[in-house]
């Protein structure tokens, strides 16, 4: 590492020690580069909030074989529920599997507590040789002739210079905006997640969620749970606690004048959720922005001397079926790290050299997935999917399973009648069917 | 002038979570901080320092305690030293004080020793006084403000109920500072990075010329006495098994039962037995008869 005139020079400066940042720092440090990993929190993970289920176990396994044995993971997810809700009823699709892909190493996904996980992951990068600097807020990028040559840290003499800056500073990326790569985000592109961690003893969790050993469950809710706000809710089992929370699209929270914590309280009081959280004690309360628009909010991902990865790049797949982000963060971090390594090898840090990042993102299936499901976020956050169809499903199930001595209707008339009750026209349904097909089928 | 500052690393009280059932502290959720009073002491030391002066920061603790020494280096301490015996899990105030005093003796005695007046963890406030005892120096605790005049320190101490007392002490002395005495400065980026890479010197018992036996103080033998306490007042409670109106009567009589006779029945022998049993129950006669 070159030390010139007191200020240090790094090959790579990674801003933000979340999954994307630590992955980028890890791969660059392993390649022998001098890497600075800068984190604004007192420790990596201090400021990070996520559900969280981490579905990228296989990805991380390639990087750190058998990572789950040393990392602070909670439970491996082998049961997933998608629950449609009306105020009184819930209809769910329950998936559980003990197939090899789910219940044997490397597993499919783990529930994690981000403060612990991020601290561990950053420590891996540090062990590989990255220089981890905590309690350091990055205010701006330093530009010379349009080329990013470093970052400005909010400290005395806070200039830190490096050849490549990788911005992994999260959903509301200050750095990508300062570098002119990202526009101001719209409120309909962001969701606000409000989350609680509720302590509950291990035996109760196993019994309540029908789990054995370290098995875990991820429950995801759509419908009346968020009232008229577009969003959803989740409930994940940790070892001796539950992570649960609601997500609400910012624009619709504003439009309906709803407070997210009121929604969270309503969610916890819902008849389908209340028995699951009964008797728990509140341990943590946190909130975070989530970039949900997917493909449509992806910024320019590379510039002269700068790359954008993770949530800062909007790499979050919220399509209803998939609610993933951490895996894409790690993938994009690895891609950015690799691109930086190659740029350093060529000693060419212009955008043309760093364009390699795009190729790597396609190779690592980040952009391919995001592009394939580019129509899904708009559909998922649409009015009817959010509020009408869960209600419809609930009502149809209610009439289907109720025995009151009346003549039993066949399904089509029942469906027709319920459709009219909830005030949706058949052409809307057809239109939505087309949207579903476009978003998910081809 | 050479100023030494004693620092301690302790759990952040905001992260200490106690299991209500077992009373155990969940160590996995705990984060550690520099004791706020020690931070104030460090800041005062840095403020006092003239260009030719030196500030040394010391701590007693395991390798994890290096982090607070790095913080001290980052804000401007010239030297740091960590003292620890491998394998030890905790220290009592007397041990901490002995280790710190010995470390100061073996390296270089400072002109002034600053420390926090008490830790946020146990808050016994014993360490400053014990160090002073080992060094045979005067100690002033609960200092909210002080100024240096030559080799004399004028100080302002906190007393109970918001009172303050002024005084003077000649150096060398141990000055124990309150947490509110100063706010620790913010380190600059180059210093922070340099501190992060710095090697932290460690001394163990043998380097201090101590043996583990020196740390095994006999347990304090004080006579246990119970403080006098008031006998709790007995409150009359009516018998729960009685019907309500009788309970009300009992309450209204304020526990004073009306005198009432009791007539025994049966044959004369049985009656006599009952009377004797009655008297024996109340200790008037021996039952044996």
């Amino acid at each position: 590492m070159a030390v010139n005139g007191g200020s240090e020079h790094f090959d790579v400066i990674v801003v933000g020690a979340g999954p994307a940042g630590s992955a980028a720092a890890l791969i660059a440090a392993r390649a022998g580069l001098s890497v600075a990993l800068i984190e604004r929190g007192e420790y990596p993970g201090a400021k990070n909030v996520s559900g969280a289920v981490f579905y990228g176990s296989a990805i991380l396994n390639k990087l750190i074989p058998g990572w789950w044995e040393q990392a602070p993971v909670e439970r491996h997810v082998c049961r997933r529920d998608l629950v449609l809700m009306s105020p009184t009823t819930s209809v769910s699709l329950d998936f559980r599997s003990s197939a090899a892909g789910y219940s044997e190493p490397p597993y499919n996904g783990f529930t994690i507590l981000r403060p612990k996980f991020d601290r561990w992951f950053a420590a891996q990068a540090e062990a590989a040789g990255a220089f981890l600097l905590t309690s350091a807020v990055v205010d701006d990028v330093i530009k010379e002739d349009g080329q990013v040559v470093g970052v400005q840290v909010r400290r005395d003499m806070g200039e830190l210079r490096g050849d490549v800056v990788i911005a992994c500073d999260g959903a509301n990326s200050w750095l990508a905006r300062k570098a002119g790569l990202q526009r101001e985000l719209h409120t309909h592109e962001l969701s606000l997640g409000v989350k609680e961690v509720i302590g509950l003893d291990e035996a109760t969790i196993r019994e309540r969620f029908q789990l054995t050993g370290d098995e875990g469950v991820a429950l995801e809710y759509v419908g009346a749970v968020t009232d008229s706000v577009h969003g959803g809710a989740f409930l994940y089992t940790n070892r001796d606690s539950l992570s649960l929370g609601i997500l609400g699209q910012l624009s619709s929270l504003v439009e309906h004048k709803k407070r997210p914590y009121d929604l969270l309280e309503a969610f916890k009081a819902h008849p389908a959720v209340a028995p699951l959280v009964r008797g728990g004690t509140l341990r943590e309360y946190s909130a975070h922005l989530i970039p949900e628009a997917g493909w449509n909010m992806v910024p320019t991902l590379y510039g002269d001397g700068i790359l954008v990865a993770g949530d800062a790049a909007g790499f979050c797949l919220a399509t209803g079926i998939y609610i993933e982000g951490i895996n894409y963060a790690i993938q994009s971090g690895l891609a950015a790290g690799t691109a930086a390594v190659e740029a350093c090898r060529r000693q060419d840090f212009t955008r043309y050299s760093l364009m390699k990042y795009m190729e790597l993102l396609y190779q690592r299936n980040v952009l391919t997935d995001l592009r394939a499901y580019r129509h899904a976020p708009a559909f998922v956050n649409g009015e009817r999917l959010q509020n009408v169809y869960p209600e419809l499903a609930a009502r149809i199930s209610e009439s289907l399973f109720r025995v009151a001595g009346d003549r039993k209707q066949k399904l089509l008339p029942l469906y027709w009648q319920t459709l009219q009750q909830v005030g949706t026209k058949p052409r809307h349904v057809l239109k939505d069917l087309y949207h579903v097909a476009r978003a998910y089928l081809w | 002038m050479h100023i030494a500052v004693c620092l301690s690393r302790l759990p952040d009280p905001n992260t200490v979570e106690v299991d209500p059932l077992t009373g155990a502290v969940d160590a996995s959720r705990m984060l550690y901080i520099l004791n706020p009073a020690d931070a104030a002491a460090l800041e005062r030391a840095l403020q006092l320092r003239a260009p030719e002066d030196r500030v040394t920061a010391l701590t007693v603790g395991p390798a994890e305690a290096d982090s607070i020494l790095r913080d001290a280096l980052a804000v401007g301490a010239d030297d740091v030293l960590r003292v620890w015996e491998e394998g030890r899990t905790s220290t009592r105030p007397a041990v901490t004080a002995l280790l710190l005093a010995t470390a100061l003796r073996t390296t270089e005695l400072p002109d002034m020793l600053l420390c926090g007046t008490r830790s946020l963890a146990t808050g016994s406030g014993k360490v400053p006084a014990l160090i002073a005892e080992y060094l045979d120096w005067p100690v002033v605790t609960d200092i909210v403000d002080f100024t240096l005049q030559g080799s004399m320190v004028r100080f302002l101490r906190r007393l109970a109920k918001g009172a303050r007392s002024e005084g003077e002490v000649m150096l060398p002395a141990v000055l124990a500072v309150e947490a509110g005495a100063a706010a620790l400065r913010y380190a600059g980026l180059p210093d922070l990075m340099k501190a992060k890479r710095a090697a932290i010197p460690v001394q163990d018992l043998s380097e201090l010329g101590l043996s583990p036996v020196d740390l095994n103080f006999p347990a304090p033998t004080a006579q246990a006495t119970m403080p006098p306490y008031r006998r709790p007042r007995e409150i009359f409670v009516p018998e729960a098994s009685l019907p309500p109106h009788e309970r009300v009567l009992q309450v209204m009589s304020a526990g004073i039962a009306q005198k009432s006779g009791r007539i025994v029945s049966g044959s004369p022998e049985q009656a006599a037995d009952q009377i004797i049993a009655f008297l024996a129950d109340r200790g008037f006669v021996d039952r044996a008869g």
Side-chain angles (χ1 to χ4, degrees), chain A residues 297-316:
Chain A
M297 66 182 294
V298 170
T300 312
L301 293 169
Y302 59 95
D304 290 319
I306 186 166
L307 297 169
V308 189
D311 266 4
F315 292 152
C316 182

Side-chain angles (χ1 to χ4, degrees), chain A residues 342-414:
Chain A
E342 292 192 7
C344 284
R345 199 162 292 151
R346 286 193 294 271
Q347 282 298 307
D348 177 3
F349 307 107
T350 58
R351 76 183 77 178
Y352 307 106
S353 167
L354 292 173
M355 219 163 94
K356 175 77 181 167
Y357 178 44
M358 295 301 281
E359 196 182 308
L360 290 165
L361 280 177
Y362 276 106
Q363 268 175 28
R364 290 187 172 274
N365 294 328
V366 178
L367 288 177
T368 42
D369 290 0
L370 241 59
R371 193 178 138 72
Y373 283 96
R374 65 190 180 281
H375 297 301
F379 171 70
V380 166
N381 272 333
E383 179 70 31
R384 277 192 296 281
L385 183 89
Q386 283 288 328
N387 299 321
V388 177
Y389 292 131
E391 180 73 30
L392 190 70
R395 286 204 191 188
I396 288 178
S397 315
E398 276 166 24
S399 354
L400 205 59
F401 298 130
R402 190 173 144 76
V403 181
D406 303 338
R407 190 169 65 90
K408 286 206 188 320
Q409 279 180 309
K410 292 200 99 170
L411 292 186
L412 199 60
L414 173 66

